[in-house]
Amino acid sequence: MNKPTGIDPRGPRFGASITAVLLLVDVFISIPLATAPIDTEAPGYVLLVVLSAIFLWGAVGGIQQSPYALFFAKFIRPRLKAPTFVESPAGPTFSQAVGFIVTITGVLLYLAGIPAAVPVAAAFAFVAAFLNSVFGYCLGCEIYLLFAKRGITFGLEKPGTPRTTRVGSDHNI
Amino acid sequence: MEYGIVAALLVVSTLLGLVWKSRQGNVVAQSGSTISLDFREAGKTTILQFTTPMCGPCAQLKPRLEKIANFRTDVAYRDIDAVEHLDLANRLSIRSTPTTLIVSPDGEIRARINGIAPAETFINAIEGTIPTRSVTATEETVI
């Protein structure tokens, strides 16, 4: 029997959980930056740059190649039961791009002399990551759906892209 | 101040999530809208599920709805890719997936269920025995 293709939906949610925690930490430590002179060595700014780079990694390489997904696949997934369904990576990958745009905007505006941009961008990104991790609501996927409905898929739905598929609980994928 | 802002952020995010969650599985009664035979089965109540290729919950919901149709001779199940049937999805204001419509044997859309819900919710919507919010054809496009 062919193994079902697609990604384990728990992977992106795991990544969103870590991202949400890191973004919340970033909001906390970057609030003082809002009233301080620009400092490119400030931890709050540096953490947002790192998170932005991780979002870019996931957006360019695909959600399956993001560091959290690789960690999930190597250390967590083998300890879990097979998922009841697998999903297309297009939506979660697009979400990484949305996360990148939000965080890099914060980084660039900070460099442009708007210090409050770091905590504000981190806060916006946190809300999206929190909704995904706690409630399973993927805001980026919903935005992607708006584009996909108009036939704009950003090359994420190439022929052969795995579609969301239900799998039997006895499937080992 | 940092603690206050972080706490406020958590409260706002949680409220947003709870609002979204509370809308999942809501049954909205409809009347006045009809759907063509291309998308339903004649003489049967049709459970019409709108899906998209990237929708994980759609795959989760599908077997639940298929099972209802399998157990009842008067009910049929159809799924429609909202991306492939964009006109239909737009005309019916399908803004997210899964969205499920309960279509009567004569083609009238009786109810709309957004998101995932227990099988009982769909069965009750088919039977018309669940308290619902009513929407008339003025709010929904007739196709």
Side-chain angles (χ1 to χ4, degrees):
Chain A
M1 185 181 286
N2 289 334
K3 288 183 178 182
T5 52
I7 59 169
D8 185 333
R10 296 168 295 188
R13 209 161 161 180
F14 168 77
S17 305
I18 298 174
T19 306
V21 171
L22 291 173
L23 284 166
L24 194 62
V25 169
D26 195 39
V27 171
F28 185 81
I29 63 176
S30 65
I31 289 169
L33 294 182
T35 52
I38 302 296
D39 173 11
T40 55
E41 290 180 9
Y45 168 77
V46 173
L47 181 54
L48 196 64
V49 170
V50 170
L51 289 170
S52 187
I54 293 172
F55 276 128
L56 181 62
W57 182 348
V60 173
I63 187 75
Q64 307 97 310
Q65 298 304 318
S66 76
Y68 309 133
L70 294 174
F71 182 87
F72 177 81
K74 189 162 177 64
F75 297 108
I76 297 177
R77 174 75 181 279
R79 298 167 202 277
L80 301 175
K81 285 182 182 175
T84 52
F85 65 92
V86 292
E87 67 180 0
S88 161
T93 298
F94 183 79
S95 301
Q96 297 294 298
V98 173
F100 171 70
I101 290 168
V102 171
T103 51
I104 200 67
T105 301
V107 168
L108 294 176
L109 288 177
Y110 183 75
L111 292 175
I114 305 172
V118 169
V120 170
F124 274 110
F126 165 77
V127 172
F130 179 85
L131 289 175
N132 192 358
S133 63
V134 176
F135 294 97
Y137 177 72
C138 176
L139 184 61
C141 303
E142 296 297 328
I143 296 171
Y144 178 72
L145 178 60
L146 294 176
F147 285 106
K149 278 172 72 177
R150 285 154 184 79
I152 306 164
T153 59
F154 305 96
L156 295 172
E157 294 279 340
K158 296 173 189 133
T161 299
R163 295 167 74 91
T164 300
T165 324
R166 187 171 69 91
V167 295
S169 56
D170 56 336
H171 284 194
N172 184 22
I173 59 172
Chain B
M1 186 175 76
E2 287 92 333
Y3 288 104
I5 291 175
V6 165
L9 195 55
L10 279 168
V11 168
V12 168
S13 304
T14 304
L15 287 175
L16 284 173
L18 289 174
V19 166
W20 174 76
K21 200 90 178 167
S22 71
R23 292 184 175 188
Q24 295 302 294
N26 272 2
V27 181
V28 181
Q30 296 188 216
S31 59
S33 302
T34 56
I35 198 158
S36 80
L37 257 175
D38 296 339
F39 303 106
R40 64 183 172 88
E41 208 155 308
K44 288 186 174 185
T45 297
T46 304
I47 305 171
L48 191 60
Q49 184 194 354
F50 281 85
T51 68
T52 42
M54 70 293 297
C55 169
C58 297
Q60 216 174 352
L61 182 61
K62 185 175 178 172
R64 201 175 295 173
L65 301 180
E66 282 177 329
K67 197 177 269 184
I68 295 171
N70 287 341
F71 274 100
R72 294 184 55 149
T73 53
D74 59 335
V75 175
Y77 168 79
R78 291 280 302 272
D79 64 337
I80 293 182
D81 187 323
V83 176
E84 284 176 10
H85 295 88
L86 199 54
D87 282 351
L88 180 67
N90 284 337
R91 278 190 241 166
L92 290 171
S93 305
I94 305 296
R95 294 189 187 87
S96 63
T97 55
T99 293
T100 308
L101 304 177
I102 305 298
V103 185
S104 71
D106 58 358
E108 189 178 12
I109 299 172
R110 294 287 190 193
R112 166 191 291 246
I113 299 109
N114 296 318
I116 289 204
E120 294 74 37
T121 302
F122 294 95
I123 293 167
N124 290 336
I126 292 165
E127 304 286 355
T129 56
I130 195 165
T132 55
R133 185 171 74 83
S134 290
V135 173
T136 60
T138 52
E139 285 181 60
E140 295 293 332
T141 312
V142 180
I143 60 165

